Amino acid sequence: MLEIKPIFHALCRSKVGAILLLIQIAITTAIVSNAAFIIQDRVAFLNQETGYPEQDLFMFNVMTFGKDIDLSQQFELDEAMLRALPGVVNAAQSSSIPLSGSGSASSFNLKPAPQESKSIRSSYIFIDEHGLDTYGVKLIAGRNFTEDEVTITNSPTERTTNVTVVTQALLDELFPEGDGLGKTIYFGDLPLTIIGVADHMKSPWLKDSHPNNVALIPYIQGKTYAQFAVRTKHGQRAAVMKQIETAMLNNYNKRVINNINGLDQLKDEYVAADKLMMRMLIVLITILVLVTALGIFGLTLFNISKRTKQIGTRRALGARKSAIINYFLVENAMICCVGLLLGIIAALLLGQLLMQHFSIAALPPSYIAGTAIMVFVMSLLAVFGPAKRAANISPSIATRTI
């Protein structure tokens, strides 16, 4: 028999320890279930497909201080030189670098500003006809830019280009009917005809609300600060990166070449805070579970020391060891069930708060159920050792007058 009634009366006589324990179980259930969901969400975020061959791509910055050159022409010479380097697949000047956390975004509309029309926010990258191949992104419809369609200028106001290549995600948002290829969209008041649709590629911001929306615009402006993207053959990136500064300075020496980084390194820097948060949550979960297990273990040992004579008397009256073990298991299960009930309610409330204030998705019931089962099993395992020790108490010693 489970002897629930006498166990309940025993707990009522010593309720402080039981109340503290069930509160601890409730807090552990609430925090662990939400933390586990956040960890899973961060893992999915960190492992998402970006659409780029990250291990083969690297980027670098160019700061030009010389005044004796035409910047746009010099950058064309630089691109040609980079493409000729052994191990390089392609290279291009790029106004923004994907996955870096830094770039440009704007609204793309179906009518020119200031007319009201459907408007979708998207990142955009000014790049030439080598851009798609440099980033290793494939076209799934339409065509790439031609050399004649690329505007190359030193003037920030000259934008004569009238075509664009967009990602499938952006096209679907602008034209949900699926007939967007060949249509015209507006970048402010600049009309751009969609001539191609790119496969999956991420914007500079993985944490953006529309990270898959990217528009490539064939426009290169000569500026004193520029960024270049280079794709190498697999396994040759490190060797090529070592040559870049020397090669660029040999092409023109009145400038500074810095921040030569792989795309995967830039991504790691961008998501460093997410990785740190995930590790901290893992440590928090581990500590909470251990503290709860130790609390159950300690409470059971305390109860055994208080009930030594009672246990010995039961053993002398013929109680089996299994009955003693079952007694403490049931006692712990009763405390745990109340704690889990409170913990489930607290987990739901905490999940609602996180969803409201930190834009986290609603906590799935499966995480609460999984955490409750884990805590319940852990509590039974934590109490089993002390309960087995209690069952081994000798009746003669336990009932001896002290």
Side-chain angles (χ1 to χ4, degrees):
M1 294 179 63
L2 296 181
E3 301 175 320
I4 293 178
K5 188 173 181 180
I7 293 174
F8 178 75
H9 288 309
L11 287 174
C12 289
R13 289 193 296 271
S14 181
K15 53 182 173 289
V16 175
I19 291 173
L20 291 175
L21 185 57
L22 69 86
I23 292 174
Q24 190 175 10
I25 290 172
I27 293 172
T28 299
T29 303
I31 295 178
V32 169
S33 57
N34 280 278
F37 175 60
I38 294 173
I39 289 172
Q40 187 277 332
D41 181 67
R42 292 298 88 188
V43 168
F45 167 75
L46 294 171
N47 294 330
Q48 65 182 300
E49 179 59 44
T50 62
Y52 306 105
E54 297 174 30
Q55 303 299 323
D56 302 328
L57 276 165
F58 72 91
M59 285 71 189
F60 63 91
N61 300 335
V62 179
M63 292 290 294
T64 304
F65 55 85
K67 304 294 184 181
D68 55 343
I69 58 169
D70 182 296
L71 285 172
S72 61
Q73 291 181 2
Q74 181 59 50
F75 290 149
E76 287 294 300
L77 294 174
D78 291 333
E79 285 188 7
M81 178 273 297
L82 290 170
R83 296 180 198 120
L85 289 176
V88 172
V89 175
N90 214 330
Q93 184 184 342
S94 182
S95 66
S96 301
I97 302 301
L99 315 182
S100 65
S102 177
S104 301
S106 180
S107 295
F108 288 80
N109 311 311
L110 298 184
K111 293 182 180 180
Q115 298 182 44
E116 291 188 5
S117 65
K118 186 174 186 178
S119 178
I120 300 297
R121 188 166 180 80
S122 171
S123 66
Y124 61 89
I125 301 175
F126 293 141
I127 205 159
D128 63 18
E129 73 275 13
H130 296 276
L132 279 172
D133 187 51
T134 297
Y135 282 123
V137 178
K138 296 180 180 179
L139 280 175
I140 56 177
R143 63 174 178 85
N144 191 14
F145 313 123
T146 63
E147 185 177 352
D148 294 337
E149 291 171 326
V150 181
T151 298
I152 301 175
T153 179
N154 290 321
S155 172
T157 58
E158 182 184 353
R159 294 185 182 177
T160 57
T161 185
N162 56 5
V163 295
T164 184
V165 172
V166 301
T167 57
Q168 183 68 59
L170 177 56
L171 190 73
D172 289 342
E173 286 202 52
L174 285 167
F175 302 96
E177 300 83 6
D179 57 346
L181 186 62
K183 295 288 184 66
T184 298
I185 59 176
Y186 291 86
F187 179 40
D189 58 357
L190 178 67
L192 298 172
T193 301
I194 300 173
I195 62 169
V197 183
D199 200 359
H200 178 70
M201 61 184 296
K202 293 288 185 179
S203 75
W205 308 281
L206 288 174
K207 303 172 188 177
D208 188 48
S209 57
H210 297 86
N212 299 314
N213 288 0
V214 183
L216 303 178
I217 301 173
Y219 174 82
I220 298 297
Q221 180 191 349
K223 298 188 294 185
T224 55
Y225 173 80
Q227 301 176 96
F228 284 82
V230 180
R231 180 161 71 95
T232 67
K233 295 177 182 178
H234 189 66
Q236 298 187 36
R237 187 179 72 176
V240 175
M241 289 172 70
K242 292 178 181 178
Q243 307 175 46
I244 288 301
E245 185 173 5
T246 301
M248 291 291 290
L249 293 178
N250 286 340
N251 230 24
Y252 181 69
N253 60 6
K254 295 180 181 179
R255 54 186 174 181
V256 176
I257 313 301
N258 60 9
N259 293 335
I260 306 174
N261 291 304
L263 185 60
D264 53 341
Q265 296 169 321
L266 291 174
K267 178 186 173 185
D268 286 342
E269 291 177 6
Y270 177 63
V271 300
D274 297 273
K275 288 185 176 180
L276 178 61
M277 180 184 70
M278 186 175 68
R279 290 167 184 157
M280 290 177 64
L281 288 175
I282 291 173
V283 172
L284 175 64
I285 287 176
T286 303
I287 292 174
L288 275 175
V289 171
L290 287 176
V291 168
T292 303
L294 288 173
I296 294 170
F297 185 86
L299 179 63
T300 307
L301 285 180
F302 176 71
N303 287 336
I304 289 171
S305 65
K306 283 180 59 180
R307 304 172 188 173
T308 301
K309 288 188 176 182
Q310 176 188 344
I311 295 168
T313 302
R314 291 194 61 187
R315 293 281 287 116
L317 293 174
R320 297 180 179 179
K321 291 184 178 181
S322 60
I324 303 299
I325 294 174
N326 287 338
Y327 179 91
F328 286 102
L329 289 176
V330 172
E331 180 182 73
N332 176 76
M334 291 172 62
I335 298 173
C336 189
C337 286
V338 177
L340 289 176
L341 180 61
L342 295 176
I344 289 170
I345 297 171
L348 292 171
L349 293 175
L350 180 59
Q352 288 291 326
L353 289 174
L354 292 173
M355 185 169 60
Q356 291 174 8
H357 297 288
F358 298 99
S359 300
I360 295 174
L363 178 64
S366 58
Y367 281 84
I368 301 177
T371 302
I373 293 171
M374 182 271 294
V375 171
F376 187 78
V377 172
M378 178 270 298
S379 69
L380 293 179
L381 293 175
V383 81
F384 185 78
K388 192 174 180 181
R389 177 179 174 182
N392 290 327
I393 293 176
S394 171
S396 59
I397 295 175
T399 56
R400 186 179 301 162
T401 301
I402 300 177

